[in-house]
Amino acid sequence: MRQKLVLLFSFLQTFYSLAQIQGTVKDTNNTPLAFVNIYIENTYTGTTSNDNGIYELNVSAPKTYTITFKYLGYKTLKKTVIIENFPYQLDVILQEEEISLQEVVVKTNENPANKIMRATIDKRKENLELIKAFKAHYYSRGLLKIKNAPKAILGQELGDLGGGLDSTRSGIIYLSETVSKIEYLYPNKLKETIIASKVSGDDNGFSFNTALDADFNFYNNTIDLENPLISPIAEYAFNYYRYTLEGIFYDDFGNLINKIKVTPKRKNDRVFEGHMYIVEDQWTIYALELTTTGQQAQIPGADTITLKQNFSYSQQDKVWALMSQNIDFSFGMFGINGEGHYTSVYSDYNFNPEFSKRNFGKQILSFREEANKKDSLYWKINRPVPLTEEEIQDYLKKDSIQTVKKSKTYLDSTDRVSNKFKFSDIFSGYTFSNSYEKWSLGVSSIFSALSFNTVQGFNSSIGIHYTKNINEFKRYFFTRATLNYGLGDQRLRGVFSAHYKFNNINRPYLMVSGGITTQQYNGTEPISKLINSISSLFFEDNYMKLYDKSFAEISFSKELFNGFKVYSNISYERRKPLFNTTDTTFINESDDTYTSNNPLDETAYGIAPFNTHNIFKFNLSATFNFGQEYFSYPDSKYTVIETKYPTLAIGYEKGFGASLDAYNFDQLKLRIFQNVELGNKGDFAYNFKAGTLFNAEDIAFMDYQHFNGNQTHVSASGSYTNVFNNLPYYSLSTNDNYLELHAEHNFNGYILGKIPLLNKLNYNLIVGAHALSSKTYKTYQEYSVGIDNIGWGKFRFLRLDYVRSYQNGFQSDAVIFGLKLFN
């Protein structure tokens, strides 16, 4: 009897949970209208229609409801219905809005749109501060589609991308949904708890659709779409936009709504184009539909990005609340073209929650237990926007085959295909995988590691690597053995390493390694093998200086608490000097020769810069990211890049037990760095370093503090705030105390975007200043001015800088070619 009662109550609960108003929304031509706002009057219970104009509005009980249908360009429609039974079918047809200019009095030499937008901008901050706090429910759905995808890119096969592609290599490659609760506190606290998460074809997957990523508030001066874009109602918006009043209409509360066309003054600025709907007298946003391009946002893969937002007025709370948001974008690169759609619905607002800053910690996103285990009934009840037929079929298809794809039979069959050796593997390397057991064994190609230096001559490496993934990559074991042979010194060297990651929360790593290798005197290796090979063979400039290192090392790192990470290692090293063994060059200049391998004296051929010796080394360092916020996924933690606060790094290094007592030393290090976003003014970055070596009067040269120089006129560095681009590599190395400072400002179009003709190129102006000081020499300074984002179309991977250096007066200047392609 007890079981029967449980079944009965479960049935009744299901019956009422499925209670809903459903139907279609079309225009007078019988065309379905997508993303129509549909909500119960005087509440925050609402939904939107899907691509086919179909909607479902979940309600709690049979009674009388007034349903509002709101869609830009169409008259708002209200329907009062008496509901006795569910589901209730309510199909509606929306009439086009009569937008008129007849009631607008246009004064001579005055643009009425400018008056409206000035009033809106003047009230921007007040409207931004109007909502002090709220709680709400949030739903989002994300979809990515590809059309006519190639079978391979740069020799790498794409496959069917998880079963998403049909015979034409088109289809949905990503579909996911989330249901969450969000909490907000002015000015910038937003916390999200994900209740349910669903990913098509992955019953263990967690959606990356979050309210935090979709938080686009146009009352702020800038909107962050990977890069900050200027809001059409920013305090300085008139520097970037022109406005046109296209007409007016009245909403269902009798408010006069102004339809304003927004047009960029310069097409390559970081701006939008489209329409904003402004409420007269209140000067608030009624709705918006704005588009930017990948070129404007400087997102190389994007073609266009469109944001649509709809707001609803609450008589009770006296606020315009965001009810829905849609993000549509198209993309294309390397032959892959597609589009994406992200739909967000906000509901059940509470604008008077009882919480303060104490409710908000550094964890800004978390998942409820079993969030990704909700069944189809749950989603039927809680999904406010119905799935389209295409989305339904994608769920059915991928969910039905995922069990098959996890089976040993299927995985073995796919491995048999992918494990077949191909001719291209000679150049790219070969990997044998066992997907069911989650391990792989591979061999790298000797061609991919081919390089040249004057110590080893032409040399190449071959590596064998093994990976065992545990617990969906959250734990893994990785090991590699690499053999290197140089034709010049006829020497075989080898290095072995093993790496274990314990978890994906505080990320403890343990690594052991050892072997014999060639090492640059500057351990950060400022010269890449590729650039050194070209520099040497074509220009006889052998800037890379190497020594021989035999070593055994063990290291460990872990985040001890949020934002605080420690790293430590201890090693034994045997170091021997090396000398040039070859004068090979492709272009032999009669008055040019290779310099010696001695970094202290380029003419000291055959003279060692240090004595062969053994030494133990110990390192302990820590980094602290102030204000670090993070996402908590089940069994994982992902930190959020924070630009409001700097990162502090401190370190201690000790050399001890050396076979030559003079080579023992100690060093203390400090570093502070930050990248600061300055809205429409661009980005400012700085990197400050300081340190001191003591008990280090006669240490080996590789233990000096070295600074990243550059003599090749080519930069493949991802950051210019850690390099002196006109400094010889070892000219200012020190075994004393030192100060190092780098600062750079990227104007992101703020300057060049305002200059006629130049603004068509979409370049960014960058200025930089760098300084280096120590007791052992006079202060060295560099100043640079550069142009970034150089290229054509979507391929903008070049940067050009002019650098002048000073040390007790002007030293020299140089032009640096930055190749971001190698980053």
Side-chain angles (χ1 to χ4, degrees):
M1 183 64 184
R2 185 169 178 269
Q3 290 179 337
K4 291 181 180 179
L5 286 173
V6 170
L7 289 173
L8 175 61
F9 288 135
S10 299
F11 173 77
L12 291 174
Q13 182 180 3
T14 301
F15 175 81
Y16 283 109
S17 296
L18 287 173
Q20 60 188 357
I21 303 167
Q22 60 188 28
T24 60
V25 187
K26 298 181 179 180
D27 64 12
T28 53
N29 296 318
N30 206 37
T31 302
L33 297 176
F35 307 121
V36 176
N37 265 13
I38 304 145
Y39 55 92
I40 299 171
E41 188 178 38
N42 296 323
T43 74
Y44 296 114
T45 300
T47 184
T48 68
S49 58
N50 66 14
D51 285 344
N52 305 127
I54 301 171
Y55 75 92
E56 292 178 358
L57 182 60
N58 293 328
V59 293
S60 59
K63 64 178 182 179
T64 300
Y65 295 95
T66 298
I67 314 299
T68 301
F69 297 83
K70 178 182 173 183
Y71 190 58
L72 284 181
Y74 290 79
K75 292 181 179 179
T76 298
L77 176 65
K78 292 186 178 181
K79 287 279 190 178
T80 300
V81 293
I82 302 173
I83 299 178
E84 297 179 351
N85 297 300
F86 290 105
Y88 186 90
Q89 188 76 17
L90 179 60
D91 301 325
V92 299
I93 295 176
L94 299 187
Q95 306 284 335
E96 288 191 24
E97 184 66 73
E98 296 177 1
I99 298 177
S100 173
L101 275 171
Q102 294 178 0
E103 298 181 42
V104 179
V105 178
V106 181
K107 296 181 180 179
T108 305
N109 299 324
E110 183 179 2
N111 180 350
N114 287 351
K115 180 181 178 181
I116 294 166
M117 296 307 287
R118 283 195 183 95
T120 305
I121 291 169
D122 288 343
K123 205 172 180 182
R124 175 194 67 85
K125 192 172 182 181
E126 180 181 333
N127 284 321
L128 183 63
E129 298 174 353
L130 186 62
I131 300 177
K132 297 296 186 182
F134 69 77
K135 292 182 179 180
H137 284 88
Y138 176 78
Y139 166 83
S140 75
R141 178 151 81 236
L143 178 146
L144 291 177
K145 298 170 65 175
I146 280 181
K147 185 176 181 180
N148 301 325
K151 292 185 178 180
I153 296 178
L154 301 177
Q156 300 297 315
E157 294 186 2
L158 289 180
D160 66 355
L161 298 179
L165 302 184
D166 58 22
S167 59
T168 67
R169 298 195 59 75
S170 303
I172 297 174
I173 61 169
Y174 175 78
L175 171 61
S176 70
E177 300 174 89
T178 60
V179 173
S180 59
K181 290 184 177 181
I182 56 177
E183 297 178 349
Y184 168 80
L185 182 67
Y186 179 82
N188 56 11
K189 297 294 184 181
L190 183 63
K191 182 172 68 173
E192 181 173 11
T193 303
I194 294 182
I195 301 169
S197 175
K198 182 177 177 67
V199 179
S200 181
D202 186 359
D203 57 8
N204 284 316
F206 290 93
S207 171
F208 284 91
N209 312 336
T210 69
L212 294 157
D213 290 330
D215 183 25
F216 303 123
N217 189 335
F218 281 82
Y219 290 114
N220 287 318
N221 283 321
T222 58
I223 307 301
D224 194 0
L225 287 175
E226 188 169 322
N227 292 305
L229 275 70
I230 313 301
S231 168
I233 59 171
E235 60 187 34
Y236 37 73
F238 272 89
N239 295 328
Y240 295 88
Y241 294 101
R242 293 187 178 92
Y243 306 100
T244 305
L245 177 60
E246 292 195 341
I248 63 171
F249 61 92
Y250 292 88
D251 71 355
D252 50 316
F253 290 105
N255 295 307
L256 188 153
I257 310 300
N258 300 282
K259 181 181 181 182
I260 306 293
K261 183 177 181 180
V262 177
T263 306
K265 287 186 174 181
R266 297 167 296 271
K267 70 173 185 178
N268 286 331
D269 283 346
R270 292 187 175 182
V271 291
F272 296 93
E273 183 171 8
H275 292 89
M276 294 194 75
Y277 297 79
I278 304 298
V279 183
E280 186 83 9
D281 295 328
Q282 298 182 46
W283 312 120
T284 56
I285 302 173
Y286 174 82
L288 61 83
E289 184 173 355
L290 298 170
T291 298
T292 189
T293 66
Q295 183 172 336
Q296 289 169 322
Q298 294 191 6
I299 303 175
D303 292 325
T304 61
I305 305 169
T306 298
L307 282 106
K308 300 177 184 178
Q309 291 184 342
N310 283 283
F311 295 78
S312 178
Y313 186 68
S314 167
Q315 292 278 21
Q316 177 182 343
D317 299 304
K318 306 300 181 185
V319 297
W320 288 86
L322 178 62
M323 298 299 292
S324 68
Q325 176 176 273
N326 296 291
I327 306 172
D328 300 309
F329 57 91
S330 59
F331 58 89
M333 186 170 273
F334 299 116
I336 296 181
N337 297 284
E339 61 185 27
H341 310 280
Y342 279 81
T343 300
S344 303
V345 177
Y346 300 79
S347 60
D348 299 328
Y349 278 104
N350 173 8
F351 288 103
N352 297 291
E354 295 182 359
F355 57 64
S356 64
K357 287 184 178 180
R358 294 181 180 179
N359 292 76
F360 297 86
K362 300 305 179 183
Q363 177 182 276
I364 57 176
L365 181 141
S366 61
F367 282 75
R368 291 270 182 89
E369 189 175 351
E370 303 293 314
N372 65 338
K373 303 300 181 184
K374 305 296 184 182
D375 58 20
S376 58
L377 179 60
Y378 173 89
W379 287 102
K380 178 68 176 175
I381 297 168
N382 292 279
R383 178 188 292 122
V385 183
L387 298 173
T388 64
E389 185 61 30
E390 182 182 35
E391 292 166 341
I392 292 172
Q393 292 304 316
D394 188 74
Y395 272 132
L396 290 174
K397 175 186 175 182
K398 291 179 181 175
D399 290 350
S400 64
I401 66 175
Q402 78 164 314
T403 303
V404 175
K405 285 194 169 185
K406 289 181 179 179
S407 68
K408 187 176 187 302
T409 302
Y410 177 83
L411 293 173
D412 287 348
S413 67
T414 58
D415 284 343
R416 279 194 294 271
V417 175
S418 62
N419 288 338
K420 288 182 179 178
F421 183 82
K422 302 178 289 295
F423 179 77
S424 61
D425 292 335
I426 296 175
F427 303 96
S428 62
Y430 172 76
T431 299
F432 180 92
S433 300
N434 186 322
S435 300
Y436 186 76
E437 298 290 342
K438 298 180 181 179
W439 62 264
S440 64
L441 179 67
V443 180
S444 63
S445 169
I446 60 172
F447 297 102
S448 63
L450 182 64
S451 65
F452 174 86
N453 62 68
T454 56
V455 171
Q456 296 177 282
F458 285 99
N459 67 95
S460 189
S461 301
I462 185 168
I464 301 174
H465 55 86
Y466 170 81
T467 304
K468 171 66 175 178
N469 292 316
I470 309 167
N471 190 23
E472 299 294 331
F473 298 95
K474 295 178 179 67
R475 287 191 294 140
Y476 66 84
F477 173 75
F478 174 80
T479 184
R480 176 190 293 274
T482 302
L483 293 175
N484 174 273
Y485 183 76
L487 295 177
D489 63 353
Q490 299 182 356
R491 176 83 185 274
L492 180 68
R493 297 176 174 87
V495 172
F496 169 83
S497 64
H499 187 151
Y500 186 77
K501 177 183 176 183
F502 292 83
N503 65 60
N504 209 40
I505 298 176
N506 54 5
R507 289 180 169 82
Y509 289 91
L510 177 67
M511 184 174 74
V512 294
S513 59
I516 306 172
T517 185
T518 56
Q519 175 74 52
Q520 292 187 43
Y521 282 85
N522 183 345
T524 62
E525 301 193 338
I527 316 170
S528 72
K529 290 183 178 181
L530 174 62
I531 290 178
N532 179 73
S533 298
I534 296 173
S535 179
S536 298
L537 292 170
F538 289 91
F539 303 99
E540 290 188 273
D541 292 327
N542 58 321
Y543 296 122
M544 181 183 286
K545 308 302 180 184
L546 303 168
Y547 68 94
D548 186 271
K549 183 174 79 171
S550 303
F551 73 101
E553 179 179 328
I554 182 169
S555 59
F556 180 78
S557 67
K558 180 181 180 180
E559 185 180 49
L560 292 184
F561 55 86
N562 181 52
F564 186 77
K565 184 177 182 179
V566 296
Y567 169 84
S568 182
N569 78 314
I570 188 168
S571 63
Y572 165 81
E573 299 179 9
R574 182 174 187 270
R575 297 125 153 213
K576 293 170 54 180
L578 295 173
F579 306 96
N580 290 348
T581 63
T582 179
D583 59 1
T584 301
T585 180
F586 289 167
I587 300 177
N588 188 10
E589 299 288 346
S590 58
D591 59 346
D592 201 3
T593 58
Y594 285 126
T595 59
S596 77
N597 188 52
N598 189 329
L600 297 173
D601 184 353
E602 63 181 19
T603 64
Y605 298 96
I607 299 176
F610 67 94
N611 295 318
T612 300
H613 65 280
N614 307 326
I615 192 172
F616 290 92
K617 292 186 71 175
F618 170 74
N619 277 280
L620 177 63
S621 61
T623 59
F624 186 66
N625 295 309
F626 294 95
Q628 176 178 285
E629 296 178 328
Y630 61 94
F631 294 173
S632 286
Y633 281 73
D635 301 323
S636 294
K637 175 185 178 182
Y638 300 96
T639 58
V640 178
I641 297 174
E642 179 56 71
T643 62
K644 291 181 294 186
Y645 304 99
T647 297
L648 171 67
I650 56 175
Y652 171 69
E653 181 182 18
K654 183 175 182 63
F656 63 99
S659 56
L660 299 174
D661 289 341
Y663 284 2
N664 295 326
F665 70 96
D666 297 88
Q667 181 176 190
L668 291 173
K669 305 176 184 179
L670 171 72
R671 180 186 178 204
I672 301 174
F673 58 97
Q674 184 182 11
N675 186 73
V676 184
E677 294 182 354
L678 299 175
N680 69 321
K681 307 298 190 302
D683 301 322
F684 175 74
Y686 67 87
N687 182 14
F688 172 80
K689 297 181 181 180
T692 183
L693 288 93
F694 47 99
N695 305 321
E697 291 78 9
D698 298 308
I699 62 175
F701 187 68
M702 67 281 292
D703 292 321
Y704 275 50
Q705 177 63 34
H706 303 291
F707 307 99
N708 296 329
N710 189 2
Q711 294 172 264
T712 65
H713 298 278
V714 175
S715 174
S717 172
S719 171
Y720 281 47
T721 56
N722 199 34
V723 62
F724 296 94
N725 269 314
N726 200 29
L727 175 68
Y729 293 101
Y730 297 105
S731 63
L732 299 183
S733 298
T734 183
N735 61 347
D736 210 320
N737 51 27
Y738 59 90
L739 291 173
E740 181 179 356
L741 176 64
H742 304 270
E744 185 175 86
H745 186 81
N746 186 337
F747 286 94
N748 287 335
Y750 180 71
I751 301 295
L752 299 184
K754 295 178 173 62
I755 301 175
L757 299 181
L758 268 180
N759 57 21
K760 297 182 182 297
L761 298 174
N762 203 24
Y763 293 164
N764 295 332
L765 176 66
I766 301 178
V767 296
H770 312 262
L772 180 58
S773 179
S774 175
K775 276 187 177 181
T776 54
Y777 47 77
K778 292 184 179 295
T779 299
Y780 172 85
Q781 304 162 64
E782 274 186 8
Y783 302 96
S784 63
V785 57
I787 303 294
D788 197 10
N789 205 43
I790 301 174
W792 58 92
K794 296 180 178 180
F795 299 94
R796 294 180 171 268
F797 50 82
L798 299 176
R799 172 174 167 170
L800 192 64
D801 286 83
Y802 174 67
V803 183
R804 291 178 67 88
S805 57
Y806 297 84
Q807 189 178 28
N808 197 26
F810 173 74
Q811 290 290 304
S812 65
D813 57 0
V815 175
I816 306 297
F817 296 86
L819 303 177
K820 294 188 288 185
L821 187 66
F822 294 119
N823 290 350

